[in-house]
C-alpha cells in the first residue's frame, strides 16, 4: 500500500493492469467531468508498450501516471486523489532519472494552462519557444559540476553561446545568449577540464537559426562556429531539449592547426 504521502520511491513502471486502471478512470472522468486525458488514450497505451509509462498505486490500483521517462509528456492524478502529493512524487522520480541519465534540460507544455503553478513549484520557468509559439512552454535546466584534479595547472575558460549572426557580423557586436566563465584544469594532452558544464539552448536563438559557440582559454580563442560543427573542440549535442554543452575543451587537431 502506498503511504499517505507518496515519494519518488513509490513510482514504478506500469504493468498491463496499471494501464487498464489508468484508462478506466480516465474514461470515467471524461464521462463525469468532460475533462482529462481520455482523448490521449492511444498515446498512453503506446507509452506503456514502449516502457515509458510510470505510475503510483494506491490499494494496488494505479491512481497517478506520467508519460515520459524524463520531461513529462502527460501527467495526471485520479480526480479523488488530487492534492495528495502524487504529482510531486512523479516529478521527483523523473528528476532522479534525468540526473542519472545526464539530461540537461526538462521541458514541457502546460496543458491545461492552469498547471503552470505546479510546474513553477517544481522549479520550471516559462519561456518562449519559436517552434511552438502558441503553446505555454516551461523548462528546468539541470546544472552539472565536476571536481578538478588538484595537481593540474589551471586555466580560465570562457564559453559563450551566440546567435548565428555572430558568425557573419563583420565587426558588429552581437550580444551572447549565455556566457560562462569557468575554472578549468589543463591535462597533459592539452585538453581542459571544466569545473562545471557550459550549456546553450537552441530554443534561445533569437532568429530561429543555428546556435553558435565561442570558446576562449585564458583569452585566446579556441573556436567560433555553429555548435553542431564544433565537436572537435569538445562541444556536444543533447537532443533532449536541443542543448549544446561543454565539459572538456579539446586541444586543436592536426587538421585544425593547419587551417
Amino acid at each position: 500500500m502506498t503511504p499517505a504521502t507518496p515519494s519518488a520511491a513509490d513510482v514504478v513502471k506500469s504493468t498491463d493492469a496499471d494501464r487498464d486502471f489508468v484508462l478506466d478512470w480516465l474514461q470515467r472522468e471524461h464521462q463525469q467531468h468532460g475533462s482529462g486525458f481520455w482523448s490521449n488514450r492511444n498515446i498512453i497505451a503506446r507509452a506503456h508498450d514502449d516502457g515509458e509509462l510510470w505510475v503510483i498505486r494506491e490499494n494496488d490500483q494505479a491512481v497517478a501516471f506520467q508519460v515520459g521517462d524524463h520531461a513529462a509528456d502527460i501527467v495526471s492524478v485520479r480526480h479523488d486523489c488530487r492534492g495528495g502529493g502524487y504529482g510531486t512524487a512523479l516529478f521527483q522520480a523523473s528528476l532522479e532519472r534525468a540526473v542519472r541519465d545526464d539530461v540537461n534540460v526538462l521541458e514541457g507544455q502546460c496543458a491545461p494552462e492552469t498547471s503552470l503553478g505546479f510546474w513553477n513549484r517544481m522549479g520550471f520557468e516559462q519561456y518562449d519557444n519559436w517552434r511552438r509559439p502558441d503553446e505555454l512552454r516551461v523548462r528546468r535546466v539541470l546544472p552539472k559540476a565536476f571536481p578538478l584534479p588538484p595537481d593540474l595547472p589551471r586555466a580560465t575558460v570562457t564559453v559563450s553561446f551566440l546567435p548565428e549572426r555572430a558568425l557573419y557580423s563583420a565587426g558588429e557586436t552581437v550580444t551572447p545568449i549565455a556566457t560562462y566563465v569557468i575554472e578549468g584544469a589543463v591535462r597533459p594532452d592539452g585538453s581542459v577540464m571544466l569545473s562545471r558544464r557550459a550549456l546553450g539552448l537552441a530554443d534561445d536563438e533569437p532568429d530561429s537559426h543555428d546556435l553558435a559557440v565561442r570558446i576562449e582559454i585564458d583569452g585566446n580563442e579556441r573556436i567560433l562556429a555553429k555548435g553542431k560543427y564544433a565537436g572537435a573542440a569538445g562541444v556536444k549535442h543533447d537532443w533532449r531539449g536541443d542543448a549544446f554543452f561543454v565539459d572538456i575543451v579539446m586541444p586543436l587537431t592536426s587538421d585544425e592547426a593547419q587551417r
Side-chain angles (χ1 to χ4, degrees):
M1 179 181 295
T2 300
T5 302
S7 70
D10 298 305
V11 179
V12 296
K13 278 197 175 186
S14 61
T15 65
D16 289 350
D18 293 324
R19 174 203 57 204
D20 294 343
F21 279 123
V22 165
L23 294 179
D24 179 66
W25 56 259
L26 285 178
Q27 184 177 30
R28 284 188 282 107
E29 286 182 359
H30 177 72
Q31 293 169 344
Q32 295 169 7
H33 305 288
S35 60
F37 291 102
W38 174 241
S39 61
N40 299 109
R41 56 192 177 275
N42 291 333
I43 295 174
I44 295 165
R46 190 160 55 247
H48 166 70
D49 293 340
D50 293 340
E52 295 183 355
L53 181 65
W54 300 84
V55 301
I56 301 177
R57 302 183 186 114
E58 182 178 294
N59 298 325
D60 297 324
Q61 296 185 5
V63 297
F65 74 89
Q66 171 173 314
V67 171
D69 287 342
H70 307 120
D73 295 324
I74 302 174
V75 176
S76 187
V77 179
R78 200 173 70 189
H79 201 270
D80 59 315
C81 295
R82 292 175 185 174
Y86 293 93
T88 299
L90 285 166
F91 169 70
Q92 290 298 332
S94 67
L95 179 61
E96 291 177 6
R97 293 192 297 270
V99 171
R100 178 199 68 198
D101 296 341
D102 200 25
V103 174
N104 283 289
V105 57
L106 301 174
E107 63 173 359
Q109 177 189 5
C110 291
E113 293 189 357
T114 53
S115 65
L116 177 61
F118 170 80
W119 292 113
N120 286 160
R121 292 193 297 274
M122 296 302 105
F124 285 70
E125 295 182 347
Q126 184 178 347
Y127 75 103
D128 294 326
N129 186 313
W130 51 266
R131 294 184 179 91
R132 301 172 180 178
D134 297 328
E135 296 180 0
L136 177 56
R137 306 290 300 182
V138 292
R139 69 186 181 196
R140 175 173 168 175
V141 173
L142 306 181
K144 194 173 184 67
F146 312 100
L148 297 180
D151 57 332
L152 294 180
R154 295 302 194 249
T156 298
V157 178
T158 302
V159 182
S160 299
F161 294 96
L162 306 116
E164 182 183 331
R165 66 177 182 273
L167 302 174
Y168 321 111
S169 60
E172 173 194 356
T173 299
V174 178
T175 302
I177 297 166
T179 297
Y180 298 80
V181 180
I182 306 173
E183 181 183 25
V186 184
R187 302 195 295 191
D189 65 357
S191 62
V192 183
M193 302 173 58
L194 304 186
S195 60
R196 59 191 176 101
R197 176 167 289 174
L199 181 69
L201 302 174
D203 285 337
D204 291 344
E205 211 288 342
D207 303 313
S208 308
H209 294 160
D210 289 326
L211 194 66
V213 59
R214 174 189 286 119
I215 302 175
E216 299 168 290
I217 302 174
D218 289 334
N220 298 310
E221 187 172 276
R222 167 63 181 86
I223 196 169
L224 172 61
K226 292 183 181 182
K228 64 185 181 181
Y229 299 142
V235 178
K236 297 182 179 180
H237 183 231
D238 183 357
W239 60 268
R240 298 164 297 194
D242 202 2
F244 290 90
F245 66 96
V246 184
D247 295 338
I248 299 174
V249 181
M250 302 304 295
L252 288 171
T253 66
S254 58
D255 288 343
E256 290 177 305
Q258 292 171 8
R259 292 174 187 169

